[in-house]
Amino acid sequence: MPKRSPRPRWHERSRLVRMWRLARTRRPRTFTEKVRYKMLRDHRPLVVTFADKVAVRDHVTAAVGPDHLPALIAVCDDPADLAAVDLPESYVVKPSHGSGAVVVVSPQAPADARLPVAHHSWVYRHVRPEHADRDHLVAIARHWTSQLYGQGPNREWAYGHVPRRVVVEELLQGPGGSVPDDLKLFVVHGRCHWVQVDSGRFGHRTQDFHRPDWEHLPLSGGPPWADPPHPRPEHLAEAIALAERLGAGTDFVRVDLYVLPDRVVVGELTNYPAGGDSPFHPEHWDAVFGEPWSVPRRYR
């Protein structure tokens, strides 16, 4: 009888690393520890839906209605199909299965901005229509769909179960055609506890944290605070209500929104902010953010 071949060393090493991580996160206390706990243990289909930039649209439609979504221009299973899409002057292209990769095309982009080289394209980039060569976009899309996202040290499990596609959506615009600020609402057990505001993604980036009543927190996640401070958004109460409806039925999700003059639009939902490595300065805020979140012993 032939001998059974031994398991590859990488398989055994992966099993040992997972056991070590499970042991390390068994009694999480801080926010980052609880994110890692969730990454390792929460394997419900809902988590995959949140990670999938195509499937999450159905979740948003069912929870708050289709008017809170950016208009969908195309979903390409094959990156080559992007070449035939009828694109408007301004639009957004991104992969369905990851975070941190976006190409924004609009006349308001800096004149000297160019698309990244395809194999270094997992970045944010804002370019003018005349600099968005279609073949180059297809090459970038091919690179995106060739990547298995979220397989770094903390293993963002859900992204490995998302079909790798290319999504084209309308460009949401703020005053003067600018890219609007991101409002990232931390929803814990169906209630919004913190609001992060990211501004200037393609230029001078700032980041601020607030309580839901818009009290500014003396906390930094890396980028400087906005100067002058952000005024309280006109539709903040609506944004919080939407985020809480979208986060109902789960222990934690961060809901990313854009508050526009005429509507509030959902950008994405994520269970894994910063892949479980969110920076907090001063460090004690990591524990403060983790206080409202009681992770379940077992996800069902």
Side-chain angles (χ1 to χ4, degrees):
M1 180 180 293
K3 292 183 178 180
R4 180 180 297 177
S5 59
R7 285 186 172 183
R9 287 183 180 177
W10 65 265
H11 188 285
E12 182 64 18
R13 190 162 55 244
S14 177
R15 185 183 70 84
L16 292 173
V17 168
R18 176 174 172 78
M19 289 175 62
W20 176 78
R21 288 174 179 151
L22 285 168
R24 281 283 305 270
T25 61
R26 187 167 51 186
R27 295 183 179 86
R29 183 182 62 87
T30 67
F31 177 77
T32 53
E33 288 171 350
K34 291 177 181 181
V35 171
R36 293 171 188 166
Y37 178 100
K38 188 174 183 69
M39 290 166 68
L40 285 164
R41 292 167 173 81
D42 190 357
H43 289 178
R44 295 173 298 159
L46 180 63
V47 181
V48 179
T49 297
F50 286 170
D52 186 336
K53 289 182 172 56
V54 178
V56 75
R57 294 178 63 91
D58 291 335
H59 177 82
V60 172
T61 298
V64 299
D67 293 342
H68 296 289
L69 284 167
L72 184 64
I73 297 171
V75 175
C76 301
D77 294 312
D78 184 342
D81 295 342
L82 185 59
V85 174
D86 184 15
L87 295 172
E89 183 179 51
S90 300
Y91 55 93
V92 175
V93 187
K94 56 189 178 183
S96 64
H97 66 293
S99 182
V102 176
V103 171
V104 174
V105 179
S106 80
Q108 286 72 38
D112 60 347
R114 297 293 185 272
L115 292 173
V117 175
H119 58 275
H120 293 303
S121 58
W122 206 278
V123 294
Y124 294 115
R125 195 59 56 91
H126 187 191
V127 301
R128 294 185 178 183
E130 61 269 26
H131 299 142
D133 176 78
R134 191 66 68 94
D135 290 339
H136 196 154
L137 283 175
V138 169
I140 288 173
R142 286 192 190 282
H143 175 72
W144 287 345
T145 56
S146 73
Q147 303 300 301
L148 184 59
Y149 183 81
Q151 302 307 297
N154 291 332
R155 294 301 294 268
E156 299 173 63
W157 167 85
Y159 291 112
H161 295 267
V162 176
R164 287 178 253 173
R165 298 182 278 189
V166 181
V167 183
V168 188
E169 294 177 340
E170 72 165 306
L171 173 62
L172 304 172
Q173 296 182 314
S178 62
V179 176
D181 295 342
D182 282 316
L183 261 67
K184 303 177 184 293
L185 288 77
F186 293 69
V187 179
V188 181
H189 304 298
R191 182 183 171 194
C192 176
H193 286 265
W194 323 102
V195 181
Q196 174 184 334
V197 185
D198 283 13
S199 185
R201 176 185 291 181
F202 299 99
H204 176 62
R205 186 182 172 197
T206 62
Q207 186 179 86
D208 296 80
F209 292 86
H210 301 259
R211 297 188 190 276
D213 63 2
W214 212 243
E215 175 191 349
H216 192 274
L217 301 178
L219 158 67
S220 172
W225 295 345
D227 185 16
H230 292 289
R232 179 190 177 100
E234 184 177 350
H235 301 289
L236 179 62
E238 179 186 357
I240 290 173
L242 284 173
E244 291 180 343
R245 287 163 65 186
L246 288 166
T250 191
D251 57 323
F252 167 74
V253 66
R254 196 190 72 195
V255 180
D256 297 358
L257 302 172
Y258 300 99
V259 178
L260 305 179
D262 59 338
R263 59 181 175 143
V264 178
V265 182
V266 179
E268 66 178 83
L269 281 71
T270 180
N271 285 123
Y272 309 146
D277 284 322
S278 298
F280 288 92
H281 307 289
E283 190 176 346
H284 78 271
W285 283 101
D286 194 3
V288 174
F289 267 55
E291 285 175 3
W293 184 0
S294 298
V295 295
R297 183 174 181 182
R298 181 174 299 175
Y299 286 94
R300 302 179 186 277

